[in-house]
Each structure stands twice: as C-alpha cells, then as structure tokens.
DNA sequence: CCAATTTTTGTTAGCGTTAACAGAGACGCC
DNA sequence: GGCGTCTCTGTTAACGCTAACAAAAATTGG
C-alpha cells in the first residue's frame, strides 16, 4: 500500500526550481524572490505536497515532536495537563507523543524516556509527581531538553509546578477565616510531591494561626479512600472542618458524612483541590482550589522550547498560583 | 547540544561486522549466526546504541508511531480510551502521538490528520463521535491504515465501538424490571453517535415493553446540564425513573433532585453511563453502565495493526458490550 | 559601463537506516 | 573433486530532506 506522496523534488520540478529552493520556502529562509516563493507555494498546493518529517528529523537530528511521560492519564489533573500541553504544542507546530507508564519507578520512566529518545523527540516533559521518578531523571542524557511538571522541588532540573503550598494554605485559611478552631486534612499518597506540598501548606496555615495540626489522614486520591477517611471523621464530634487533597477524596468524605447524618456545611465544612468540572454539582457544591493547568502547560512548553532553541539546559523553576473557588461546602461552625 | 549517540556503523565496527548485519540482528532476521548475533548484541549494549527511528521511518516509509485524533481528552471516556490505547500500543512497540482537536468539524480533523501524516505515522485512530467528523474521514487518503472509535455506524470505515444501544437497553430494562411504569432520559448532545445510540437503546427497551417513550431531555454531558434537566424532572411528580447518558449528567440530576427534596432512590431511581471511578461515591451510589475501554482499545489497535501488516483496508466492524453495574440509586417505585 | 558586492538560485554531500543484490563459505550429491 | 544449493555476510544504492558551498543574477558604486 502506501502510494507515497510527492517529494520535494516533484514540487521543485513543477515550479521550475531546485529542490533546495523549495526547502528554503518551506523553512522561511529570507533570500527567496517573492515571485519564486509564490510559484513554489502554488506547486505545493497543487500537488498536495506534505514535507516528510522523518527525513527532516534525520538530517537535523530533531523531530518536531515533544515526548510526554506521564502516569495514569485518567486522573483529572494529568489528563487536563496533557490536553493543555498538546494544545499549546500544536500552536507551536509540535506534535505530542505520550508515553504513559504504570509506575513512576526508575525503570519505567527510563524505558519511556528511551522510547522517546529513539524517536529523536525535540524535548521531553515529565509529569513526575513522585520521589522515585527523580533519580531516573538525573541519570538521563544531559543534552536532551527536559522539563518536569509537579516534580521534586529539590532536584536541579527545570521544573514547572502548581503552587501546592499556597493553594493548601488558602484552602485552610478560608476554613479558619470562617471561624473553625482547627482543620483536618485528608492527604494524597505521601510519595507524591503534590501531596507533600498540600500537607505543608495546610500545616503552615495552622501553625501561623498558632494551632497544633492534627495528624493528616492519608488517602490515595480516590473517592474510595476519601470515603474511608470520611467514616472516621464522621465519628469524631470535634471535627468541624476538613481540607482534602483533591476533589475526589472530598466526594468520598461527603458521602461518608452524609451516611452518618452529619450535614455539610452545617456541621462540617469541606474544601477540596482541583476544581473538577463536577465539583460544582456535588452535594453540596464543593469549595475547592483551582490550579491553572493551561498556565502550567504554557510555562513548561515555553521553558522546553527555550532550551531547544538556545541549547542551554538552565535549571529554571516556575510556579503557577492556584485560585480558591468558594462554593457552598463551607460555613461557620455551630456554637 | 545534542551529542549524537552512536549509529549503526559504530556498533558494526565494534562487533567487527557490517552495519547490515547489525540491522539484521535488530530486525530479527533469521539468517544470522548465533555467535554473531551475540557479539552484535554485546556491542549494542556496550555503546548504549539506540536505533534512529527517523532514519528507519524514512527508508521504510512508516514510523512506529500511531496517531490518535481525539476531541476533549479531559472527558472520562476519551481519556480512558487514550490511556488504554497508549498502553496497548506500547506493548506492540508503537508510540502514540496525540492530536487533540477543539472541534470535530471537517477542517479540524483534516488538519490533525495532516499533521500525523506528515510525521508518516503507521496508522491513525480517530475517536470521532460526531457526525461532522465522518465526511472528513472519507476524503482521507485511502492508503492510510485507519480505525475509528465510536464513529458513524453507517460509513464504510473500520469501526470499533461500545455497544451503546445494548448498554442503554440494559439500563432502561433494569429500571423497568424494578417496576417502574416508564423511564425518562437525559441524553448527551444529539450530534454524538454515543448519544444517538443510547437514545435508541432506551427507546427500544420502552417500545419492547409496550410503552410510549417520553421526550428525551437533551444535555451536553456536563453535570451542569444534568442539573438543569434535573430541576425540571424534580417538578414532575409522575417521574420515578431516569436514565442519563453519562454519570456526570446523573450527578447533576442527583443534586437537583436533592435540592427539591426528592429522595433517590425512594422517590426517583437514576441510572448513569460510563462508571466513572467516583460513581460508587455519589449520593446515593450510582447504578451505571460500564463500557470496557481496554477492550475497545485492544480491538481498535489490533484492527489497525492488521491493516498495517496486510496492507488491506478492510472495513471491519467490532462492537464491545458494556456491563450494567448495579448500585443503590435504583429501587422499586412507591405505590 | 565595469568591477565589487549583494541577493538569489543551484549543486553536492551526507544524515542512519533498510532493501536488493552479490559474494564467500559450508555442505551434500553425483 | 566439481558443482549446485544452502546459509551467512558484505556492498551498494536509495529514502527525502538540510547544510555547505558554488555559481549565477541582480544591484550598487565609482
């Protein structure tokens, strides 16, 4: 099969120029006479010519493809990030190749990166929210443009991240401002930097208010684990405010509280994180923290492109501030 | 930057063979002496050689990349599909390049496909659930292996699809079996085939039971539109059973019913579609229909690979049956 | 109007791989 | 032992493009 399309020489022949001139037109080289340029463009259109990315990648050593390594792209956060990344990349003329991995351990990440490298991607974005990913990244070839998203703040790797700490602090402060004596926390898995950052922010807000943080309850991002934590929280009469590390945990908590007859927000206030599209339709509508995935995607792509263009691998860092979205799951405590 | 890695000739030199022999080892060609094969493998390992996909793609005319065209990969269905597709493809040694599009109109789809073609992808999977995508697909070059997922059942294009009709029929029947006199439906956008199929199945079940289907209420997949429909349903005392085209619509309906004080499932039963991970933690836990995204991904990839290998572009069709997941949002009507 | 310069175009080589063919051994058979 | 027939390996030529250099054409300056 594969009736191969026309090549550059075909266009050149039709336009009555050399293939190099066609190449120059395609790459926007300045020294081409306007008239020639038009003739070439016409020939391209007439033949339906499409440049062969493989040939270009071969000769330049780079393709117009960006590799993304991510785990579990079904979760709302990663999925949104991936979609935003793809949109932004497309605008810059880059395609996005996904290499999702089951586990974020050294081996899996390296394997995914290897796959990308063998396709000679122009750069790699690693959505690497867990500790174990870090070491894999340091062993990578130094000459590959690389950006990590939501990765380890303590490694010398270019990093774009949602300001988890600020977001969590805002959520906690919002609950304190409503008059709550303290705030409990259902966290994400503690090997995710996202979780660590959110725990930090929550703790900071409490400490700043002179309060002693209660022990955080560890979840795993799922509604199921939120439900389990919620069952415990529901039985603790002193609990009046809960901040969960994401909206799905909050959903589980809400359901447990509902089952135990504890009314939200009358008896207990709840704040989530992520602002999934459904959050506004939870019972009750969930107050939450909205990270700006588009901004993260833009920032990381920009960082990656500047590495690709300049050839330098600076270890920049960029943080995107999230915003609190107030809905009806928060109220002052009863007295 | 970009210290280029070793090439095939480097491996050949180290192993004391010609580059062609290296190529043969890499491609599993039979006629290579075992001893030579081992020497080559050792050299590959020692140099950390990685074949250059671009060069291979150039000479063979195909890369080991599969292009996926999808809209809104943030939705649970598409995201799951994409993830499953990527997993399956990786197992077969293929990378997946995403080309998400904002709209599924002719222009957008064609553009995304063009982008993939210029990278000489081995095949394309189009997640094309709407009418307007169809025409774009027919105008595509005939020699590109192509599979559509959840696309138009009436076009002569290879298609893998969740059996929407069967799923919707099962959901509706489940409600009828519980004793409900009729079942209302909140549908998805009517230009999606998914929606049309689900409306069909719902209608079929009612007609088969000798019932006159009430007018379906059109939503747009979002919890917000489910909420709006729910507000109407809540005020209609004759409504005792609702089937929504997806779980997020159901969430919106549940909230509206809750606000109007109509208890689920005591007064009204609700069934969704998709079985999002959170569905078990809605209030109450949602009975829903679970499509097997992994099976869809496997089937479509297999179909695509067989096209790639055989070179024939058969217009096959494969359907994956979904399963009903019974939870607590369904009960017999009160009398 | 001619030389010097600048702009525009063409020619050649090579990126790293696979395909097609050619050659070199090893082996069996008459 | 010579000769066809395997099996294994090497040589050469593409694939379609960009980079580097070379040449031609247009422009400038005196």
């Amino acid at each position: 099969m594969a009736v191969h399309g026309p090549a550059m020489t075909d266009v050149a022949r039709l336009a009555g120029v050399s293939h190099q001139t066609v190449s120059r037109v395609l790459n926007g080289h300045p020294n081409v006479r306007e008239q020639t340029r038009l003739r070439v463009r016409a020939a391209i259109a007439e033949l339906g010519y499409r440049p062969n990315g493989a040939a270009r990648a071969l000769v330049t050593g780079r393709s117009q493809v960006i590799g993304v390594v991510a785990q579990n792209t079904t979760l709302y956060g990663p999925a949104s990030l991936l979609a935003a990344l793809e949109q932004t990349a497309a605008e810059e003329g880059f395609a996005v190749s996904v290499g999702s991995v089951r586990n974020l351990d050294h081996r899996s990440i390296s394997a995914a990166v290897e796959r990308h490298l063998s396709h000679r991607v122009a750069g790699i974005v690693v959505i690497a929210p867990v500790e174990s990913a870090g070491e894999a990244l340091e062993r990578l070839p130094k000459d590959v443009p690389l950006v990590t998203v939501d990765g380890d703040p303590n490694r010398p790797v270019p990093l774009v991240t949602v300001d988890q700490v600020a977001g969590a602090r805002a959520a906690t402060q919002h609950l304190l401002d409503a008059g709550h004596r303290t705030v409990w926390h259902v966290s994400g898995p503690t090997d995710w930097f996202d979780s660590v950052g959110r725990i930090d922010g929550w703790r900071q807000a409490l400490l700043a208010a002179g309060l002693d943080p209660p022990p955080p309850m560890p979840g795993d991002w799922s509604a199921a684990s939120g439900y389990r934590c919620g069952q415990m929280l529901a039985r603790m009469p002193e609990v009046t405010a809960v901040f969960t590390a994401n909206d799905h945990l909050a959903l589980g908590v809400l359901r447990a509280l509902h089952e135990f007859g504890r009314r939200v927000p009358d008896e207990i206030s709840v704040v989530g994180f992520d602002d999934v599209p459904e959050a506004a339709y939870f019972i009750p509508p969930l107050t939450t923290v909205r990270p700006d995935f588009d901004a993260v995607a833009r920032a990381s792509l920009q960082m990656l492109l500047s590495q690709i263009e300049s050839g330098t691998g600076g270890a920049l860092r960029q943080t995107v501030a999230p915003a609190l979205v107030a809905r009806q799951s928060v109220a002052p405590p009863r007295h």
Side-chain angles (χ1 to χ4, degrees), chain A residues 5 15 64 66-67 100 110 167 171 214 303 324:
Chain A
Q64 290 288 98
I66 286 170
S100 66
S110 297
M303 205 177 269
L324 187 87

Side-chain angles (χ1 to χ4, degrees), chain A residues 165-182:
Chain A
V165 178
R169 220 165 28 206
T172 311
Q173 193 60 51
H174 182 68
L175 287 164
L176 293 177
D177 289 349
H180 293 274
R181 296 268 176 76
T182 191

